[in-house]
PDB file of all heavy atoms in Angstrom:
ATOM      1  N   GLN A 206      96.785  71.020 109.205  1.00  0.00           N
ATOM      2  CA  GLN A 206      98.207  71.372 109.231  1.00  0.00           C
ATOM      3  C   GLN A 206      98.914  71.170 107.898  1.00  0.00           C
ATOM      4  O   GLN A 206     100.116  70.927 107.849  1.00  0.00           O
ATOM      5  CB  GLN A 206      98.935  70.582 110.342  1.00  0.00           C
ATOM      6  CG  GLN A 206      98.272  70.621 111.707  1.00  0.00           C
ATOM      7  CD  GLN A 206      97.949  72.029 112.190  1.00  0.00           C
ATOM      8  OE1 GLN A 206      98.753  72.927 112.078  1.00  0.00           O
ATOM      9  NE2 GLN A 206      96.744  72.216 112.702  1.00  0.00           N
ATOM     10  N   GLN A 207      98.170  71.256 106.799  1.00  0.00           N
ATOM     11  CA  GLN A 207      98.762  71.178 105.466  1.00  0.00           C
ATOM     12  C   GLN A 207      98.887  72.611 104.940  1.00  0.00           C
ATOM     13  O   GLN A 207      98.218  73.023 104.002  1.00  0.00           O
ATOM     14  CB  GLN A 207      97.904  70.308 104.560  1.00  0.00           C
ATOM     15  CG  GLN A 207      97.826  68.866 105.040  1.00  0.00           C
ATOM     16  CD  GLN A 207      96.907  68.024 104.177  1.00  0.00           C
ATOM     17  OE1 GLN A 207      96.680  68.302 103.009  1.00  0.00           O
ATOM     18  NE2 GLN A 207      96.367  66.962 104.758  1.00  0.00           N
ATOM     19  N   VAL A 208      99.777  73.351 105.594  1.00  0.00           N
ATOM     20  CA  VAL A 208      99.874  74.794 105.405  1.00  0.00           C
ATOM     21  C   VAL A 208     100.316  75.165 103.989  1.00  0.00           C
ATOM     22  O   VAL A 208      99.777  76.099 103.391  1.00  0.00           O
ATOM     23  CB  VAL A 208     100.810  75.404 106.471  1.00  0.00           C
ATOM     24  CG1 VAL A 208     100.891  76.910 106.341  1.00  0.00           C
ATOM     25  CG2 VAL A 208     100.329  75.029 107.867  1.00  0.00           C
ATOM     26  N   GLU A 209     101.268  74.443 103.442  1.00  0.00           N
ATOM     27  CA  GLU A 209     101.717  74.757 102.084  1.00  0.00           C
ATOM     28  C   GLU A 209     100.595  74.576 101.069  1.00  0.00           C
ATOM     29  O   GLU A 209     100.410  75.410 100.181  1.00  0.00           O
ATOM     30  CB  GLU A 209     102.920  73.894 101.693  1.00  0.00           C
ATOM     31  CG  GLU A 209     104.220  74.377 102.286  1.00  0.00           C
ATOM     32  CD  GLU A 209     105.411  73.590 101.749  1.00  0.00           C
ATOM     33  OE1 GLU A 209     105.439  73.279 100.541  1.00  0.00           O
ATOM     34  OE2 GLU A 209     106.314  73.311 102.554  1.00  0.00           O
ATOM     35  N   GLY A 210      99.868  73.490 101.199  1.00  0.00           N
ATOM     36  CA  GLY A 210      98.735  73.260 100.297  1.00  0.00           C
ATOM     37  C   GLY A 210      97.664  74.322 100.460  1.00  0.00           C
ATOM     38  O   GLY A 210      97.103  74.813  99.481  1.00  0.00           O
ATOM     39  N   ALA A 211      97.403  74.705 101.708  1.00  0.00           N
ATOM     40  CA  ALA A 211      96.411  75.752 101.972  1.00  0.00           C
ATOM     41  C   ALA A 211      96.860  77.072 101.352  1.00  0.00           C
ATOM     42  O   ALA A 211      96.055  77.788 100.755  1.00  0.00           O
ATOM     43  CB  ALA A 211      96.193  75.911 103.469  1.00  0.00           C
ATOM     44  N   GLU A 212      98.131  77.378 101.479  1.00  0.00           N
ATOM     45  CA  GLU A 212      98.655  78.618 100.891  1.00  0.00           C
ATOM     46  C   GLU A 212      98.461  78.628  99.377  1.00  0.00           C
ATOM     47  O   GLU A 212      98.035  79.633  98.794  1.00  0.00           O
ATOM     48  CB  GLU A 212     100.140  78.788 101.212  1.00  0.00           C
ATOM     49  CG  GLU A 212     100.733  80.026 100.566  1.00  0.00           C
ATOM     50  CD  GLU A 212     102.261  80.067 100.592  1.00  0.00           C
ATOM     51  OE1 GLU A 212     102.895  79.213 101.244  1.00  0.00           O
ATOM     52  OE2 GLU A 212     102.811  80.963  99.926  1.00  0.00           O
ATOM     53  N   ALA A 213      98.764  77.518  98.732  1.00  0.00           N
ATOM     54  CA  ALA A 213      98.616  77.441  97.274  1.00  0.00           C
ATOM     55  C   ALA A 213      97.157  77.651  96.851  1.00  0.00           C
ATOM     56  O   ALA A 213      96.876  78.343  95.863  1.00  0.00           O
ATOM     57  CB  ALA A 213      99.131  76.093  96.762  1.00  0.00           C
ATOM     58  N   VAL A 214      96.231  77.088  97.613  1.00  0.00           N
ATOM     59  CA  VAL A 214      94.806  77.228  97.283  1.00  0.00           C
ATOM     60  C   VAL A 214      94.344  78.663  97.522  1.00  0.00           C
ATOM     61  O   VAL A 214      93.610  79.232  96.709  1.00  0.00           O
ATOM     62  CB  VAL A 214      93.952  76.216  98.083  1.00  0.00           C
ATOM     63  CG1 VAL A 214      92.479  76.467  97.878  1.00  0.00           C
ATOM     64  CG2 VAL A 214      94.306  74.790  97.670  1.00  0.00           C
ATOM     65  N   VAL A 215      94.787  79.271  98.618  1.00  0.00           N
ATOM     66  CA  VAL A 215      94.425  80.661  98.893  1.00  0.00           C
ATOM     67  C   VAL A 215      94.976  81.566  97.792  1.00  0.00           C
ATOM     68  O   VAL A 215      94.286  82.475  97.313  1.00  0.00           O
ATOM     69  CB  VAL A 215      94.922  81.103 100.286  1.00  0.00           C
ATOM     70  CG1 VAL A 215      94.815  82.606 100.459  1.00  0.00           C
ATOM     71  CG2 VAL A 215      94.124  80.397 101.377  1.00  0.00           C
ATOM     72  N   GLN A 216      96.193  81.296  97.373  1.00  0.00           N
ATOM     73  CA  GLN A 216      96.789  82.098  96.295  1.00  0.00           C
ATOM     74  C   GLN A 216      95.987  81.949  95.003  1.00  0.00           C
ATOM     75  O   GLN A 216      95.718  82.926  94.309  1.00  0.00           O
ATOM     76  CB  GLN A 216      98.243  81.671  96.070  1.00  0.00           C
ATOM     77  CG  GLN A 216      98.981  82.567  95.108  1.00  0.00           C
ATOM     78  CD  GLN A 216     100.473  82.253  95.064  1.00  0.00           C
ATOM     79  OE1 GLN A 216     100.926  81.227  95.581  1.00  0.00           O
ATOM     80  NE2 GLN A 216     101.229  83.126  94.451  1.00  0.00           N
ATOM     81  N   GLN A 217      95.560  80.727  94.695  1.00  0.00           N
ATOM     82  CA  GLN A 217      94.737  80.487  93.512  1.00  0.00           C
ATOM     83  C   GLN A 217      93.419  81.265  93.609  1.00  0.00           C
ATOM     84  O   GLN A 217      92.974  81.879  92.641  1.00  0.00           O
ATOM     85  CB  GLN A 217      94.454  78.985  93.378  1.00  0.00           C
ATOM     86  CG  GLN A 217      93.641  78.603  92.163  1.00  0.00           C
ATOM     87  CD  GLN A 217      93.356  77.104  92.110  1.00  0.00           C
ATOM     88  OE1 GLN A 217      93.749  76.330  92.984  1.00  0.00           O
ATOM     89  NE2 GLN A 217      92.641  76.685  91.091  1.00  0.00           N
ATOM     90  N   CYS A 218      92.828  81.266  94.781  1.00  0.00           N
ATOM     91  CA  CYS A 218      91.575  81.977  94.996  1.00  0.00           C
ATOM     92  C   CYS A 218      91.769  83.486  94.837  1.00  0.00           C
ATOM     93  O   CYS A 218      90.940  84.177  94.244  1.00  0.00           O
ATOM     94  CB  CYS A 218      91.040  81.643  96.385  1.00  0.00           C
ATOM     95  SG  CYS A 218      89.321  82.101  96.651  1.00  0.00           S
ATOM     96  N   LEU A 219      92.890  83.993  95.349  1.00  0.00           N
ATOM     97  CA  LEU A 219      93.169  85.426  95.221  1.00  0.00           C
ATOM     98  C   LEU A 219      93.462  85.820  93.778  1.00  0.00           C
ATOM     99  O   LEU A 219      93.179  86.950  93.376  1.00  0.00           O
ATOM    100  CB  LEU A 219      94.341  85.817  96.130  1.00  0.00           C
ATOM    101  CG  LEU A 219      94.000  85.896  97.619  1.00  0.00           C
ATOM    102  CD1 LEU A 219      95.265  86.045  98.454  1.00  0.00           C
ATOM    103  CD2 LEU A 219      93.029  87.036  97.886  1.00  0.00           C
ATOM    104  N   GLU A 220      94.012  84.904  92.999  1.00  0.00           N
ATOM    105  CA  GLU A 220      94.244  85.189  91.579  1.00  0.00           C
ATOM    106  C   GLU A 220      92.919  85.339  90.834  1.00  0.00           C
ATOM    107  O   GLU A 220      92.810  86.114  89.902  1.00  0.00           O
ATOM    108  CB  GLU A 220      95.106  84.096  90.951  1.00  0.00           C
ATOM    109  CG  GLU A 220      96.552  84.140  91.401  1.00  0.00           C
ATOM    110  CD  GLU A 220      97.371  82.928  90.969  1.00  0.00           C
ATOM    111  OE1 GLU A 220      96.820  82.027  90.288  1.00  0.00           O
ATOM    112  OE2 GLU A 220      98.551  82.868  91.343  1.00  0.00           O
ATOM    113  N   ILE A 221      91.913  84.605  91.274  1.00  0.00           N
ATOM    114  CA  ILE A 221      90.589  84.692  90.650  1.00  0.00           C
ATOM    115  C   ILE A 221      89.885  85.979  91.083  1.00  0.00           C
ATOM    116  O   ILE A 221      89.281  86.667  90.273  1.00  0.00           O
ATOM    117  CB  ILE A 221      89.728  83.466  91.032  1.00  0.00           C
ATOM    118  CG1 ILE A 221      90.319  82.197  90.424  1.00  0.00           C
ATOM    119  CG2 ILE A 221      88.282  83.655  90.587  1.00  0.00           C
ATOM    120  CD1 ILE A 221      89.696  80.916  90.934  1.00  0.00           C
ATOM    121  N   SER A 222      89.981  86.276  92.373  1.00  0.00           N
ATOM    122  CA  SER A 222      89.274  87.433  92.922  1.00  0.00           C
ATOM    123  C   SER A 222      90.135  88.077  94.009  1.00  0.00           C
ATOM    124  O   SER A 222      90.039  87.710  95.179  1.00  0.00           O
ATOM    125  CB  SER A 222      87.923  86.981  93.494  1.00  0.00           C
ATOM    126  OG  SER A 222      87.223  88.055  94.019  1.00  0.00           O
ATOM    127  N   PRO A 223      90.981  89.031  93.631  1.00  0.00           N
ATOM    128  CA  PRO A 223      91.953  89.590  94.578  1.00  0.00           C
ATOM    129  C   PRO A 223      91.374  90.524  95.652  1.00  0.00           C
ATOM    130  O   PRO A 223      92.072  90.876  96.580  1.00  0.00           O
ATOM    131  CB  PRO A 223      92.933  90.343  93.685  1.00  0.00           C
ATOM    132  CG  PRO A 223      92.239  90.563  92.405  1.00  0.00           C
ATOM    133  CD  PRO A 223      91.177  89.515  92.285  1.00  0.00           C
ATOM    134  N   GLN A 224      90.115  90.906  95.547  1.00  0.00           N
ATOM    135  CA  GLN A 224      89.545  91.853  96.502  1.00  0.00           C
ATOM    136  C   GLN A 224      88.985  91.189  97.754  1.00  0.00           C
ATOM    137  O   GLN A 224      88.123  91.752  98.414  1.00  0.00           O
ATOM    138  CB  GLN A 224      88.424  92.680  95.845  1.00  0.00           C
ATOM    139  CG  GLN A 224      88.895  93.660  94.803  1.00  0.00           C
ATOM    140  CD  GLN A 224      89.173  92.988  93.467  1.00  0.00           C
ATOM    141  OE1 GLN A 224      88.660  91.928  93.171  1.00  0.00           O
ATOM    142  NE2 GLN A 224      90.026  93.598  92.667  1.00  0.00           N
ATOM    143  N   GLN A 225      89.453  90.038  98.121  1.00  0.00           N
ATOM    144  CA  GLN A 225      88.928  89.306  99.276  1.00  0.00           C
ATOM    145  C   GLN A 225      89.833  89.549 100.482  1.00  0.00           C
ATOM    146  O   GLN A 225      90.800  88.821 100.688  1.00  0.00           O
ATOM    147  CB  GLN A 225      88.841  87.814  98.967  1.00  0.00           C
ATOM    148  CG  GLN A 225      87.964  87.507  97.752  1.00  0.00           C
ATOM    149  CD  GLN A 225      88.018  86.051  97.421  1.00  0.00           C
ATOM    150  OE1 GLN A 225      87.376  85.242  98.080  1.00  0.00           O
ATOM    151  NE2 GLN A 225      88.778  85.702  96.393  1.00  0.00           N
ATOM    152  N   SER A 226      89.518  90.563 101.269  1.00  0.00           N
ATOM    153  CA  SER A 226      90.386  90.937 102.382  1.00  0.00           C
ATOM    154  C   SER A 226      90.570  89.797 103.388  1.00  0.00           C
ATOM    155  O   SER A 226      91.652  89.643 103.954  1.00  0.00           O
ATOM    156  CB  SER A 226      89.867  92.189 103.084  1.00  0.00           C
ATOM    157  OG  SER A 226      88.561  91.972 103.570  1.00  0.00           O
ATOM    158  N   ASP A 227      89.529  88.992 103.594  1.00  0.00           N
ATOM    159  CA  ASP A 227      89.666  87.865 104.518  1.00  0.00           C
ATOM    160  C   ASP A 227      90.711  86.871 104.031  1.00  0.00           C
ATOM    161  O   ASP A 227      91.479  86.314 104.809  1.00  0.00           O
ATOM    162  CB  ASP A 227      88.324  87.169 104.739  1.00  0.00           C
ATOM    163  CG  ASP A 227      87.714  86.602 103.458  1.00  0.00           C
ATOM    164  OD1 ASP A 227      87.872  87.219 102.380  1.00  0.00           O
ATOM    165  OD2 ASP A 227      87.067  85.537 103.522  1.00  0.00           O
ATOM    166  N   LEU A 228      90.768  86.683 102.713  1.00  0.00           N
ATOM    167  CA  LEU A 228      91.760  85.753 102.160  1.00  0.00           C
ATOM    168  C   LEU A 228      93.151  86.340 102.172  1.00  0.00           C
ATOM    169  O   LEU A 228      94.133  85.608 102.335  1.00  0.00           O
ATOM    170  CB  LEU A 228      91.390  85.357 100.731  1.00  0.00           C
ATOM    171  CG  LEU A 228      90.423  84.197 100.606  1.00  0.00           C
ATOM    172  CD1 LEU A 228      90.189  83.835  99.157  1.00  0.00           C
ATOM    173  CD2 LEU A 228      90.873  82.987 101.377  1.00  0.00           C
ATOM    174  N   VAL A 229      93.268  87.640 101.999  1.00  0.00           N
ATOM    175  CA  VAL A 229      94.586  88.277 102.082  1.00  0.00           C
ATOM    176  C   VAL A 229      95.150  88.046 103.478  1.00  0.00           C
ATOM    177  O   VAL A 229      96.327  87.663 103.632  1.00  0.00           O
ATOM    178  CB  VAL A 229      94.501  89.786 101.747  1.00  0.00           C
ATOM    179  CG1 VAL A 229      95.822  90.480 102.034  1.00  0.00           C
ATOM    180  CG2 VAL A 229      94.096  89.995 100.295  1.00  0.00           C
ATOM    181  N   GLU A 230      94.317  88.237 104.497  1.00  0.00           N
ATOM    182  CA  GLU A 230      94.751  87.994 105.873  1.00  0.00           C
ATOM    183  C   GLU A 230      95.135  86.525 106.078  1.00  0.00           C
ATOM    184  O   GLU A 230      96.138  86.220 106.724  1.00  0.00           O
ATOM    185  CB  GLU A 230      93.647  88.386 106.852  1.00  0.00           C
ATOM    186  CG  GLU A 230      93.382  89.872 106.896  1.00  0.00           C
ATOM    187  CD  GLU A 230      92.165  90.225 107.730  1.00  0.00           C
ATOM    188  OE1 GLU A 230      91.680  89.365 108.502  1.00  0.00           O
ATOM    189  OE2 GLU A 230      91.703  91.371 107.605  1.00  0.00           O
TER     190      GLU A 230
END
């Protein structure tokens, strides 16, 4: 339930590799 932290990490991951449809979802 650390949603803000999870969002920041997902955003960082998408910045590295934006073509990850699972992460976009």
Side-chain angles (χ1 to χ4, degrees):
Q206 310 309 316
Q207 297 177 26
V208 182
E209 282 186 40
E212 177 193 352
V214 173
V215 168
Q216 188 171 12
Q217 182 182 1
C218 195
L219 285 170
E220 288 170 1
I221 294 170
S222 180
Q224 291 80 23
Q225 302 175 78
S226 59
D227 60 325
L228 275 183
V229 172
E230 292 172 15

